[in-house]
Amino acid sequence: MRVVLSAGGRFHAFHLAKQLARRNSLAKFFSFSAQNSDFDYLPRSVVDQSTVCKFVNWLACRLQVRRFVNKSWCNATQDALFDTWVAKKIQALEPFDIFVGWADYVLKTIPFVRQKGAKVIIESGSFHIKDQAQLLTQEYDRWGICYEPINKKNMERMLAEYELADYIMTPSEVVCQSFYRQGVARDKVLKVPCGIDGAPLTSLESRDTYVKKFIVLFAGLLSIRKGVPYLIQAWNELNLPDNDAELLLVGGMQKDCEAVLKRLPMKKNVKIMGSVSHQQLKKLYQQATVLALPSIDEGFGMVVTEAMASGIPVICSDHVGAGELVQDYQQGFIVPHANVQALAACLAWCYQHREACFEMGRCAQQTVKSLTWDHYGQQVYSLYQQILNV
């Protein structure tokens, strides 16, 4: 089996590449996000990087362009540039069996893949683009954000990609249901949950959360999409004492969220930390009582499974894919998205029952024990084999 990957970003693409390389099935990996550490497990000969796209991405990050201009416009421009580059590269490849491309990066590439006789699988880590647009437009209207959350060109590209693909790979049942709602045939939609980088991330013996300060951790882009304003509102309702409770917001601030947070009152015990390294995030998992991820649209949410692997219970919305691993009062809580009262009630319960939170964290860790990247790789590889045998 020869598989070609194309990903204009890291996503979980490098984990997939590693798993395919281990099985001698990775023919080529097109990217602009490879790091030196990736070549500890990936042969340099199979990785082809776009230096132009890499520079554009670096420049956008360096200048924090996405904080000052419409993020969707930046993404549309960069995605189309990468797709054009891959389309040219594909033509020179030897025949291969399967092409796996991340949604919004492969529309121009697909016709040249067809010439090679390969199957096309679109990786979609998020809801169907129409569902995304509807959900985020509602949120932007609610919060008074005046620009479109998703660029129309991106939407058109992704709708065309869905139509042209043989299969669409998703990481969770909520994403599958999103595609079904939009009329995509069930036999076209595949599902394999993401893995975890090293489980457990934290020994439970090193945690004694329920006798420490109550710390709620949010990790991810600070954005409307992640439900951050609702988390702030829920925290404000609780009015917990500064010396006994803290809300940590970890991640880069997005333009839409920044505009909203300026209008919301902010308690003294809310700490906006910005982006941190993964090593720093692991330390924060050790300190936290509970992770909160009240996203409006979250195809999976790897911070959920990482927190669970660290022995932390989680509170996430019903639109978080990894929430399918969570049952109320066992690994944490599931709350309706955009529901401040339900979120506040769960946070209050956790504040009042810290010892129970510790036990829920123990249950959470056991739940994700087998959710490794090797397990993910074997599931994906088996699906690819089935596709080629059809």
Side-chain angles (χ1 to χ4, degrees):
M1 182 194 307
R2 286 171 52 81
V3 181
V4 173
L5 300 186
S6 178
R10 291 195 66 82
F11 311 109
H12 58 278
F14 286 82
H15 292 289
L16 176 56
K18 177 182 179 180
Q19 294 299 324
L20 292 171
R22 287 180 57 185
R23 292 165 176 81
N24 297 315
S25 295
L26 182 61
K28 187 63 71 174
F29 180 21
F30 295 108
S31 172
F32 60 77
S33 304
Q35 301 168 358
N36 287 334
S37 58
D38 296 321
F39 297 108
D40 293 342
Y41 57 80
L42 286 177
R44 290 183 181 272
S45 59
V46 301
V47 179
D48 197 347
Q49 287 215 80
S50 168
T51 54
V52 173
C53 291
K54 190 178 183 74
F55 174 75
V56 169
N57 187 63
W58 173 85
L59 193 63
C61 294
R62 183 78 173 178
L63 299 179
Q64 296 185 311
V65 171
R66 293 177 179 86
R67 282 193 61 183
F68 306 106
V69 301
N70 190 335
K71 179 185 174 184
S72 66
W73 180 86
C74 291
N75 290 344
T77 302
Q78 184 172 279
D79 299 352
L81 183 65
F82 181 74
D83 186 15
T84 300
W85 176 77
V86 176
K88 292 178 180 178
K89 290 284 185 175
I90 283 284
Q91 299 174 59
L93 291 184
E94 294 294 321
F96 50 92
D97 304 301
I98 292 176
F99 173 80
V100 181
W102 262 251
D104 199 35
Y105 291 95
V106 297
L107 183 59
K108 292 181 180 178
T109 302
I110 290 175
F112 298 104
V113 172
R114 292 296 185 201
Q115 292 177 10
K116 302 289 182 179
K119 297 287 186 181
V120 175
I121 301 175
I122 297 295
E123 282 273 353
S124 179
S126 301
F127 287 26
H128 189 288
I129 192 63
K130 283 188 176 180
D131 275 2
Q132 288 184 57
Q134 181 181 0
L135 287 165
L136 292 176
T137 298
Q138 289 172 352
E139 290 301 308
Y140 274 37
D141 289 344
R142 179 176 298 174
W143 294 108
I145 305 298
C146 61
Y147 55 85
E148 288 182 331
I150 296 177
N151 187 283
K152 288 182 179 179
K153 289 184 179 180
N154 286 86
M155 182 177 292
E156 292 169 358
R157 284 169 57 84
M158 293 173 76
L159 290 173
E161 289 170 348
Y162 297 159
E163 186 68 28
L164 291 171
D166 295 299
Y167 299 96
I168 298 168
M169 179 68 81
T170 72
S172 64
E173 189 60 30
V174 293
V175 180
C176 289
Q177 292 298 326
S178 173
F179 277 89
Y180 301 155
R181 280 194 300 273
Q182 294 297 335
V184 178
R186 287 177 177 262
D187 60 1
K188 187 172 181 172
V189 182
L190 311 173
K191 184 186 85 168
V192 178
C194 297
I196 306 169
D197 284 320
L201 295 177
T202 304
S203 168
L204 277 172
E205 284 67 32
S206 69
R207 289 179 51 78
D208 197 19
T209 310
Y210 60 88
V211 296
K212 290 181 180 180
K213 187 176 186 178
F214 179 68
I215 296 179
V216 176
L217 174 65
F218 168 90
L221 290 175
L222 303 187
S223 63
I224 299 295
R225 183 177 183 178
K226 298 283 186 177
V228 172
Y230 296 116
L231 181 56
I232 297 294
Q233 288 182 319
W235 186 260
N236 288 344
E237 284 197 7
L238 298 181
N239 199 28
L240 300 177
D242 294 350
N243 64 346
D244 192 40
E246 191 171 41
L247 171 62
L248 303 181
L249 303 177
V250 177
M253 181 71 73
Q254 300 298 287
K255 181 186 176 185
D256 58 3
C257 191
E258 186 174 36
V260 173
L261 293 191
K262 286 179 180 178
R263 306 198 301 265
L264 293 178
M266 196 76 66
K267 298 287 185 181
K268 290 182 181 179
N269 54 3
V270 176
K271 186 176 180 181
I272 299 177
M273 300 184 65
S275 299
V276 302
S277 68
H278 198 252
Q279 209 55 37
Q280 289 174 296
L281 183 57
K282 286 183 180 181
K283 292 179 180 178
L284 292 173
Y285 286 143
Q286 292 176 348
Q287 301 169 18
T289 311
V290 62
L291 177 95
L293 188 67
S295 299
I296 303 303
D297 158 32
E298 189 81 53
F300 190 73
M302 284 192 274
V303 293
V304 170
T305 49
E306 285 188 354
M308 292 171 71
S310 301
I312 306 171
V314 296
I315 301 171
C316 54
S317 80
D318 56 355
H319 280 189
V320 174
E324 63 192 53
L325 301 166
V326 178
Q327 292 180 288
D328 287 347
Y329 297 99
Q330 293 189 37
Q331 299 88 356
F333 299 94
I334 302 295
V335 297
H337 65 282
N339 190 314
V340 173
Q341 287 69 38
L343 184 54
C346 288
L347 290 171
W349 189 94
C350 290
Y351 178 74
Q352 296 160 5
H353 300 86
R354 298 184 211 185
E355 186 170 353
C357 279
F358 184 81
E359 292 306 318
M360 285 196 298
R362 190 185 298 277
C363 179
Q365 191 173 77
Q366 287 300 312
T367 299
V368 298
K369 197 172 183 179
S370 63
L371 204 63
T372 65
W373 283 113
D374 286 344
H375 180 64
Y376 159 85
Q378 188 53 53
Q379 286 185 291
V380 169
Y381 188 75
S382 296
L383 272 176
Y384 291 175
Q385 287 180 315
Q386 292 174 30
I387 287 169
L388 295 178
N389 287 332
V390 171

